Amino acid sequence: MAHIEFLDETMRDGQQSLWGMRMQAGMALPVAPLIDRSGYRVIDLTGSSLFEVMIRTCRENPWEGLDLLVQAMPRTRIRGGMRSNASVTFGVTPDSLMDAWMRQLNRHGCRSFWIYDVLFNIDKMHRLAKVAKEFGSEVSGAIMFALSPVHTDAYYADKADKLSASPDIDTLLLYDTAGVLDKDRLSTLVPAIQAKARGKPIEFHANNILGQSAKAYLDAIDLGVTILHTASRPMANGPSVPSTEIMLHNIELLGHTHGVDKSLLPPVAEHFEKVGKAAGFLVNQHNEYDVLSIRHQIPGGMTGTLKAQLAQHNMTDKLDDVLRETAEVRRDLGYPGMATPFSQLVGIQAVLNIVTGERYSIVPDEVIQYAAGFYGETVAPIDANVLDRIMAAPRAKQVVANPPEQPTIEDLRKRYGTDNDDELILRALVPEPDLEKMRAAGAVKRDYPTLSSPELDQVQTLMRAARSPVVQLRTATMSLELYRQAG
């Protein structure tokens, strides 16, 4: 029997997958102390994409929100995540800004990090790990799993060997964004990674898109994995990770031990269920097994993005066509792992191929950058004909002629007009007009109204569906008028 540690994903992957990264600090603050006392090994909390959404969509200062949450959870290590070579949208970020981003997260109280790179630029991962060690932080080197002919056990064993060679890497994180790992593959993959892990613990994160990740967690435990990523039940499953509740139930039945206080889980779950329903966000999700998901391996949160893009062209009925085309584009581009930024690049290219009716007639700059090697060496060669189409795009010559720059941190401070690295990172993330709107919105709210009822739910549904500025509702017992605010 094994002692299993749990890493809480409620406020990071759970809300990223189900709420589109729109969890404001006040939505979590009331129960943050309960989560802190629950006995998790680590609480995953933040990343650059979350910062960007907080600013652009929620008009909330992410540094202020992060500080409030960190202060509310003093007992548990707080985790931040980062891609090795980017903190801004889908582009490539200068190393100096990545180092500053790592240092600022540490200064704001994060003391655990997962660092990933789908193309495994190991040198950059090691460099950021060394920066984290300036603050004594724990670092997990991520092994981003993808299912393809070229992503073999030997491939991943090599990456595990190179990652674990650094004394600054404390754990290895097997990360399955598409939730496609099953017992057969785990039975060879995990031993291959363990053999090169130099005795370092292995964490496992699997999004439950196919509804099989809870079983995969149990199979991984049998193979020696000791750290599982889970979320509070309302924020779990579907495109998120398995729930903490079901995994505790399962491992107890199998005789394993853990250190989580189960009595603290129900009020946390009740809170997030109320907040999610009041905000109109997804909770309590479950997915069915879909073979097409194995082929395209799109992370769960991206499906909503694809739907929105198709809706702009009045082509929502083409979603299945886009998903099938995504699988084809992924093969064309040398099987990149389907995590940021490549899940977005592949998905956007697939949408363009379907919308235009001609494959690769329009090619985004980021796909050109990928083909030019700006993100790193591709896992497999890009299809020769497709590469020709990409490099024949109107902007290809200009894009290729302007590889990512590597300014110093002093250059960046001068460029953005600030010596405050908190402010520097915000200015690099989003344009100044977005920051002005964020500042105008005032201080971060410390709570979120959760008043809800079936009647209010009906009113919310009506308002979302209605296009007119005024909605009148009259019944035998109630008269209601709702006015939509301008702007």
Side-chain angles (χ1 to χ4, degrees), residues 359-425:
R359 305 186 79 226
Y360 302 101
S361 60
I362 298 177
V363 181
D365 287 0
E366 292 80 6
V367 174
I368 298 170
Q369 291 172 342
Y370 168 80
F374 291 178
Y375 293 96
E377 184 179 351
T378 60
V379 181
I382 298 173
D383 178 273
N385 292 328
V386 170
L387 182 60
D388 289 343
R389 294 292 303 272
I390 292 172
M391 291 307 175
R395 284 187 46 78
K397 288 184 178 179
Q398 181 178 350
V399 170
V400 172
N402 291 277
E405 58 177 349
Q406 288 292 350
T408 66
I409 192 65
E410 289 77 16
D411 292 336
L412 290 170
R413 288 168 182 159
K414 183 177 180 180
R415 178 182 304 177
Y416 289 103
T418 179
D419 290 327
N420 182 321
D421 283 355
D422 278 2
E423 182 67 17
L424 170 65
I425 288 165

Side-chain angles (χ1 to χ4, degrees), residues 145 176 179-187 212 216 219 289:
F145 181 77
D176 181 11
V180 295
L181 278 168
D182 57 18
K183 184 175 183 177
D184 287 346
R185 185 60 192 277
L186 284 166
S187 67
Q212 65 180 13
D219 294 331
Y289 191 93

Side-chain angles (χ1 to χ4, degrees), residues 12 71 307 430 442:
R12 206 282 297 172
Q71 291 163 13
K307 288 179 180 177
V430 300

Side-chain angles (χ1 to χ4, degrees), residues 228-302:
L228 302 180
H229 291 204
T230 58
S232 178
R233 179 163 276 144
M235 307 300 296
N237 298 314
S240 180
V241 290
S243 75
T244 306
E245 289 86 344
I246 195 60
M247 290 315 304
L248 291 175
H249 169 78
N250 287 336
I251 69 167
E252 287 176 354
L253 284 176
L254 294 172
H256 303 298
T257 59
H258 62 84
V260 176
D261 185 346
K262 294 195 297 182
S263 70
L264 299 178
L265 302 185
V268 172
E270 181 182 1
H271 171 80
F272 283 115
E273 183 171 13
K274 286 182 178 179
V275 170
K277 288 182 176 179
F281 296 154
L282 296 176
V283 292
N284 301 319
Q285 294 297 292
H286 296 281
N287 281 1
E288 295 181 309
Y289 191 93
D290 184 349
V291 172
L292 183 56
S293 294
I294 299 174
R295 295 179 181 176
H296 60 66
Q297 295 181 54
I298 291 175
M302 261 224 48

Side-chain angles (χ1 to χ4, degrees), residues 31-239:
V31 293
L34 293 180
I35 299 173
D36 185 42
R37 296 202 306 270
S38 295
Y40 293 108
R41 184 181 194 275
V42 172
I43 297 170
D44 199 1
L45 189 60
T46 194
S48 62
S49 295
L50 303 181
F51 266 46
E52 188 175 356
V53 173
M54 282 297 99
I55 298 167
R56 287 180 178 272
T57 304
C58 302
R59 307 302 183 199
E60 180 170 293
N61 187 321
W63 288 122
E64 183 182 345
L66 176 62
D67 287 343
L68 289 171
L69 288 167
V70 169
Q71 291 163 13
M73 298 184 290
R75 303 183 183 195
T76 313
R77 277 178 295 190
I78 303 300
R79 176 168 286 189
M82 57 178 59
R83 180 156 55 101
S84 77
N85 58 2
S87 65
V88 184
T89 61
F90 307 140
V92 177
T93 301
D95 292 348
S96 58
L97 188 59
M98 293 304 303
D99 293 349
W101 170 234
M102 173 63 84
R103 290 190 175 99
Q104 293 312 105
L105 286 176
N106 273 279
R107 288 168 180 148
H108 283 267
C110 293
R111 284 295 181 272
S112 177
F113 293 89
W114 70 286
I115 303 172
Y116 82 97
D117 189 316
V118 180
L119 296 183
F120 291 99
N121 290 286
I122 302 290
D123 57 333
K124 292 181 180 289
M125 298 174 74
H126 283 171
R127 191 196 74 252
L128 285 171
K130 185 175 293 293
V131 175
K133 288 301 179 185
E134 294 174 7
F135 300 84
S137 292
E138 173 192 69
V139 178
S140 185
I143 297 174
M144 306 299 290
F145 181 77
L147 199 61
S148 83
V150 294
H151 287 92
T152 63
D153 291 351
Y155 174 87
Y156 286 115
D158 174 66
K159 306 310 177 187
D161 185 34
K162 291 175 179 174
L163 279 172
S164 66
S166 169
D168 301 320
I169 298 293
D170 300 293
T171 70
L172 296 181
L173 168 56
L174 177 57
Y175 202 115
D176 181 11
T177 59
V180 295
L181 278 168
D182 57 18
K183 184 175 183 177
D184 287 346
R185 185 60 192 277
L186 284 166
S187 67
T188 59
L189 176 65
V190 172
I193 292 172
Q194 283 177 323
K196 299 296 184 178
R198 294 175 169 81
K200 297 179 179 182
I202 297 176
E203 305 180 23
F204 190 17
H205 180 117
N207 293 87
N208 205 17
I209 294 171
L210 295 174
Q212 65 180 13
S213 294
K215 176 61 166 59
Y217 277 9
L218 297 179
D219 294 331
I221 290 173
D222 291 340
L223 296 166
V225 170
T226 57
I227 304 169
L228 302 180
H229 291 204
T230 58
S232 178
R233 179 163 276 144
M235 307 300 296
N237 298 314

Side-chain angles (χ1 to χ4, degrees), residues 402-470:
N402 291 277
E405 58 177 349
Q406 288 292 350
T408 66
I409 192 65
E410 289 77 16
D411 292 336
L412 290 170
R413 288 168 182 159
K414 183 177 180 180
R415 178 182 304 177
Y416 289 103
T418 179
D419 290 327
N420 182 321
D421 283 355
D422 278 2
E423 182 67 17
L424 170 65
I425 288 165
L426 297 187
R427 293 182 186 182
L429 275 173
V430 300
E432 184 61 30
D434 287 310
L435 293 176
E436 291 174 357
K437 292 177 182 177
M438 177 198 78
R439 296 185 185 106
V444 170
K445 296 178 177 61
R446 295 172 180 254
D447 57 16
Y448 186 83
T450 57
L451 178 63
S452 184
S453 69
E455 292 78 15
L456 284 175
D457 291 344
Q458 291 179 12
V459 170
Q460 285 184 336
T461 300
L462 179 61
M463 285 301 294
R464 283 194 292 267
R467 294 288 181 264
S468 60
V470 181

